[in-house]
Amino acid sequence: MKAQAEFDIIVYGASGFTGRLVAEYLAKTYGIGGPVKWAMAGRSADKLAQVRDEIGAPPETPLVVADAADPASLAAMVGRTRAVLTTVGPYQLYGSALVAECVKQGTDYLDLCGEPNWMAEMIKAHDAAAKASGARILFSCGFDSIPFELGVFWAQGLAREKFGHPVSRVKGRVRAMKGGLSGGTAASGRATMAAIQANPALLGVMISPFALTPGFVGPDQPRGDKREMDEDLGAEVGPFMMAMINTKNVHRSNALQGHAYGTDFVYDEMSVIVPGAPTEFTDMGGEDGPKPGEGPSLEERETGFYDLLFIGIDKDGQQVRGSVFGDKDPGYGSTSKLIAETAICLVQKGGGVAGGVWTPGAALGQTLLDRLHAIAGLTFIDETA
């Protein structure tokens, strides 16, 4: 990690839909010249200035011009900050050079990636070099996959309290969710599908729960691709669209913690099917879906929420139950707070975290859980009977 730099955090992509929300959150929560030194970055100084004014950020908010297609501008940006928080996706199209530059300069990197094919490639290419340079590379710092990674971490903590040891089986269940999809998320999905069509071997990465744990494959995992009755819930459950990325990150988190949940750990995610209740994102895109730069309205973000349950099951059938509740729509209202506070936590509280490619929960653990619970709208509840 860098000890000193001009900025603590540069928000790269601040004129895009999600980056704008991150910058707005930082401006309203921390201002300029306060405890967090941050700047807005993007391709156009004029567009950044316009967004700065529209979100009510102070006129002295620093603006940094950088372009994924201009290596020199990326290198200059990376050199000015302790951490780059990037919302410029799809990351498989626009993120590789930035990761490489952060690794080279020992600068921390955080993103919102839900593209496992690219993440697997980056782990293979850069984990060793990041360990050497001290750069902490944190993928998936939004709704995918922090509430799920920390939900499992929370449930395992409850299991240790109750049983004296972690459990080898955790079920993640989405009880309710209301929110919208942005054009950036839709574009990431399309880029991943295009990559698989161009290289069918990537389908194996997408399917394997252990695609992000190089050198380790655990036991068979539930497929989660069909509706079924969950006897532990007394309710019908069905496939959850984000399970494919979240389960990979949970297994990587376990591995990065020295298999704290065991090498026999089994985890799946499914949505509880409640007729008439919101259990999914409202719009999954397609050709008529939102375009990059578009996304849910302020009202949709403010009225959105999510309610997740994690059931830890011991070998004798005893259970712990921990839930995670998010107070804004998952993809944007909540995600913008999650990545901003994770970045602050990393640069201000993560001094003991070594370089390498991390998951947020494995890197920052209880410190991050406590911070998000206190100030980022996540509520962690013990529902154990």
Side-chain angles (χ1 to χ4, degrees), residues 295-383:
S297 68
L298 174 61
E299 181 183 2
E300 288 170 328
R301 297 195 304 270
E302 291 294 314
T303 60
F305 67 92
Y306 49 94
D307 178 15
L308 316 174
L309 177 66
F310 298 86
I311 305 172
I313 307 170
D314 205 8
K315 294 189 185 301
D316 61 4
Q318 291 190 91
Q319 294 187 5
V320 292
R321 297 190 177 208
S323 60
V324 180
F325 184 84
D327 69 343
K328 296 287 187 289
D329 90 289
Y332 301 90
S334 182
T335 278
S336 56
K337 294 191 291 184
L338 295 180
I339 191 169
E341 290 297 345
T342 301
I344 295 168
C345 189
L346 182 65
V347 298
Q348 293 188 348
K349 305 290 185 182
V353 180
V357 180
W358 289 93
T359 60
L364 297 165
Q366 192 67 41
T367 303
L368 180 60
L369 188 154
D370 291 342
R371 185 181 190 94
L372 298 181
H373 184 82
I375 56 180
L378 282 195
T379 304
F380 294 84
I381 303 167
D382 181 358
E383 296 190 14

Side-chain angles (χ1 to χ4, degrees), residues 95-114:
S96 298
L98 180 56
V99 171
E101 191 61 43
C102 285
V103 169
K104 178 181 176 182
Q105 296 198 34
T107 298
D108 296 338
Y109 167 101
L110 303 94
D111 71 17
L112 299 170
C113 189

Side-chain angles (χ1 to χ4, degrees), residues 215-273:
F216 174 80
V217 176
D220 289 344
Q221 305 286 313
R223 291 173 59 95
D225 59 348
K226 295 184 175 65
R227 289 175 67 144
E228 62 185 59
M229 176 59 66
D230 188 328
E231 299 299 338
D232 292 304
L233 279 176
E236 193 175 11
V237 296
F240 174 49
M241 67 173 194
M242 295 175 64
M244 187 172 285
I245 174 63
N246 292 334
T247 53
K248 293 173 175 58
N249 277 323
V250 166
H251 285 298
R252 178 162 178 79
S253 182
N254 181 34
L256 289 169
Q257 296 175 77
H259 289 107
Y261 313 150
T263 55
D264 58 346
F265 179 59
V266 175
Y267 175 69
D268 72 327
E269 290 175 3
M270 301 191 81
S271 289
V272 177
I273 297 172

Side-chain angles (χ1 to χ4, degrees), residues 3 9 23 76 127 133 137 172 193 203 261 285 303 331 346:
I9 299 162
D127 189 39
S133 74
I137 309 299
M193 294 310 298
L203 187 60
Y261 313 150
T303 60
L346 182 65

Side-chain angles (χ1 to χ4, degrees), residues 53-109:
D53 296 341
E54 287 174 354
I55 65 176
E60 65 270 23
T61 302
L63 307 179
V64 177
V65 176
D67 188 337
D70 180 358
S73 71
L74 285 185
M77 174 180 71
V78 169
R80 297 176 68 183
T81 187
R82 295 174 67 190
V84 174
L85 183 168
T86 174
T87 61
V88 181
Y91 297 99
Q92 58 200 292
L93 300 182
Y94 305 115
S96 298
L98 180 56
V99 171
E101 191 61 43
C102 285
V103 169
K104 178 181 176 182
Q105 296 198 34
T107 298
D108 296 338
Y109 167 101

Side-chain angles (χ1 to χ4, degrees), residues 155-170 311-321 384-385:
Q156 292 287 14
L158 296 176
R160 289 188 183 94
E161 289 178 14
K162 182 173 181 179
F163 308 133
H165 56 80
V167 291
S168 60
R169 175 72 172 111
V170 173
I311 305 172
I313 307 170
D314 205 8
K315 294 189 185 301
D316 61 4
Q318 291 190 91
Q319 294 187 5
V320 292
R321 297 190 177 208
T384 306

